Amino acid sequence: MASIIVNGGRPITGEIRVGGAKNSALKLMAAALLAPGASVIRNVPDISDVTLMAEVLSVLGARVTREDHSVLVDATDITSVETPYELVAQMRASIVVLGPLVARFGRARVAMPGGCNIGSRKIDMHIHGLEHLGVNIAFEHGFIDATAPEGLKGAEVLLDFPSVGATENLLMAAVRAEGATVIENAAREPEIGDLVDMLVAMGVQIEGRGSSTLVVHGARELSPVVHTAVGDRIEAGTYLVAGALGGGPVTVTGFDPAHLEMLLTKLELVGCEVAVHADGATVRREGPIRPVDVATLPYPGFPTDMQAQFMALLALAEGNSVITENVFENRFMFADEIKRMGADIDIEGHRALIRGVHALQGAPVRSPDLRGGAALVLAALVAEGETVVSDVHHILRGYEDFCGKLASLGADIRMIEE
Ligand code: UD1
């Protein structure tokens, strides 16, 4: 088990380039299953979730090779349509192979994801959507058994909620359906637009990119492609919040600042100066941190994946702030940990009341999940004394060279293996 040790109080300033989006790269790799031949995904981050997705694809028979930040997926000889529990249990996003497998082979068996530490995270919308497209679904021995012996049929699917994963699974299932599929109330996250771009390049006609209505005209044959993943707006947002906490200036490049508009607006409201560039943004703060209310919502709302990092910032505000979490239940485990560093936070249901304190103190804390773990490290950068963040395998799932990048901004930070 690895831990990150931070000695707080160093100035945080400089420039960082972010990699491709984790939440895009994983789905683009799955999309490669749709076409026989070798697809190449560029700008893929070197993180453990990508290693796991490579393993998922390998178990199915795909040949996966990684070089630098490119991943080649040769999906010519898929020998199995079954994704085992030990992989799905480690990474819920593995469920995204369901759509492409059933589209190309008319069959998929994917282990049911278990509970998760950020809420129950149901998959009902994935299942109902696939059923609308003519897929028979059975739940057997812990597996979702999806079959479409007659092929998939285009249909209209209205999602209860703009679920990112359900939109992606349905998009990838619909690409081989007969006729048009309309996905209403689709998620609009930039990573969905990225997946649409890859599918279009593979030969599918899709209307409505970036909107909540996607129309997919199924294609008979798809071709492999070379595709570059969109920059990681959440990785970028994490380093921008580090700049806001430490004062900066911190410049982050490698992403489209339009994808972080809501976060950048909130950073201005807390008292930061934000400058937007073609390929990134710069944040600096001279005055105190002002309190501000935040509500997480599907894109273009405030991203739930930035909620914990922003809470770390508000923990040091001059006054009280409220964060309302509308996307996931139980996504406040981070609050209990940062309270151990002196933060004053009360949770009631899906609301957190954060009473700003003057300073945080270094303490031993535990990463509750990926973003919560990153947020604890951010808090540690400005805390008094030493913080030891344990269970950092969560952080390594989604941040490439987290310690190295923060050290390049001046942080006194190191990772140790215990
Ligand atoms: C993806 C992201 C995650 C991000 C989230 C929301 C990946 C690998 N993960 O997760 O980082 O925080 O989007 O932006 O891309 N729900 C249902 N039934 C379903 C599907 C979802 O009730 O069939 C609920 C979930 O429990 C959750 C909400 O909908 O409360 C949002 O989930 P969803 O948008 O699907 O998130 P993921 O795709 O799992």
Side-chain angles (χ1 to χ4, degrees):
M1 283 293 195
S3 295
I4 289 177
I5 300 177
V6 182
N7 275 297
R10 293 284 198 91
I12 300 295
T13 178
E15 187 170 328
I16 281 186
R17 187 168 181 84
V18 294
K22 165 182 95 77
N23 287 353
S24 227
L26 299 175
K27 325 306 169 63
L28 302 172
M29 288 169 72
L33 289 172
L34 285 162
S39 287
V40 176
I41 323 291
R42 295 204 170 125
N43 201 27
V44 175
D46 190 3
I47 52 176
S48 63
D49 268 11
V50 165
T51 307
L52 269 171
M53 185 54 88
E55 241 176 89
V56 168
L57 300 181
S58 303
V59 163
L60 300 173
R63 198 168 54 81
V64 185
T65 39
R66 282 165 83 176
E67 203 184 302
D68 196 10
H69 287 98
S70 286
V71 176
L72 179 146
V73 181
D74 187 341
T76 309
D77 297 314
I78 297 302
T79 48
S80 162
V81 291
E82 182 168 316
T83 308
Y85 182 59
E86 69 254 29
L87 290 176
V88 180
Q90 287 181 70
M91 186 179 66
R92 245 188 82 87
S94 320
I95 198 191
V96 85
V97 298
L98 193 55
L101 284 176
V102 81
R104 183 166 157 203
F105 303 104
R107 177 100 205 265
R109 254 171 77 79
V110 177
M112 297 261 289
C116 166
N117 52 3
I118 53 170
S120 60
R121 294 183 87 164
K122 292 186 290 187
I123 51 162
D124 54 324
M125 285 186 260
H126 299 240
I127 300 302
H128 294 153
L130 290 173
E131 284 175 338
H132 268 86
L133 299 184
V135 179
N136 300 315
I137 305 269
F139 295 98
E140 282 171 3
H141 304 289
F143 279 81
I144 305 159
D145 206 333
T147 47
E150 313 283 300
L152 282 78
K153 308 261 179 301
E156 202 174 306
V157 182
L158 170 63
L159 297 178
D160 290 356
F161 180 91
S163 152
V164 171
T167 302
E168 291 163 339
N169 245 333
L170 292 173
L171 263 175
M172 290 193 270
V175 297
R176 294 292 291 266
E178 195 188 310
T181 296
V182 183
I183 308 173
E184 298 270 20
N185 200 22
R188 291 189 280 158
E189 271 67 3
E191 294 76 24
I192 307 263
D194 201 15
L195 177 61
V196 166
D197 289 345
M198 173 155 162
L199 296 174
V200 167
M202 291 173 101
V204 191
Q205 195 196 329
I206 301 176
E207 294 155 41
R209 183 193 188 283
S211 80
S212 51
T213 303
L214 294 170
V215 184
V216 185
H217 301 275
R220 241 171 231 298
E221 292 302 327
L222 274 67
S223 320
V225 288
V226 177
H227 180 89
T228 303
V230 68
D232 198 323
R233 66 196 164 100
I234 304 299
E235 186 191 9
T238 302
Y239 295 123
L240 289 170
V241 170
L245 271 163
V250 167
T251 296
V252 184
T253 61
F255 76 104
D256 182 346
H259 295 164
L260 266 188
E261 208 178 326
M262 185 59 82
L263 174 77
L264 298 180
T265 303
K266 293 288 178 183
L267 284 173
E268 282 177 340
L269 287 171
V270 299
C272 296
E273 207 181 292
V274 176
V276 164
H277 322 295
D279 187 33
T282 300
V283 68
R284 80 174 73 221
R285 180 180 60 80
E286 273 160 19
I289 300 170
R290 291 200 291 262
V292 63
D293 292 346
V294 170
T296 67
L297 281 171
Y299 188 84
F302 190 94
T304 176
D305 285 353
M306 284 303 305
Q307 185 252 102
Q309 301 90 312
F310 212 76
M311 190 184 283
L313 181 61
L314 295 179
L316 287 163
E318 277 192 348
N320 299 348
S321 310
V322 174
I323 295 187
T324 308
E325 173 57 61
N326 293 310
V327 179
F328 286 111
E329 48 182 288
N330 307 337
R331 209 182 189 176
F332 285 136
M333 282 95 61
F334 160 76
D336 283 336
E337 294 300 314
I338 196 176
K339 276 159 81 171
R340 307 191 64 254
M341 300 173 74
D344 184 354
I345 301 172
D346 275 334
I347 306 290
E348 212 176 290
H350 66 133
R351 288 218 162 80
L353 169 64
I354 302 126
R355 298 183 196 87
V357 294
H358 288 299
L360 294 170
Q361 292 108 45
V365 288
R366 194 186 60 80
S367 287
D369 55 36
L370 165 59
R371 306 301 170 186
L376 287 168
V377 174
L378 298 191
L381 297 178
V382 291
E384 292 162 355
E386 184 183 91
T387 298
V388 180
V389 183
S390 58
D391 282 1
V392 299
H393 60 277
H394 288 297
I395 302 176
L396 306 182
R397 283 184 43 213
Y399 291 90
E400 176 177 333
D401 192 22
F402 194 49
C403 291
K405 286 184 181 178
L406 287 171
S408 77
L409 293 181
D412 179 348
I413 183 169
R414 67 186 199 278
M415 191 156 75
I416 53 155
E417 293 285 342
E418 282 154 55

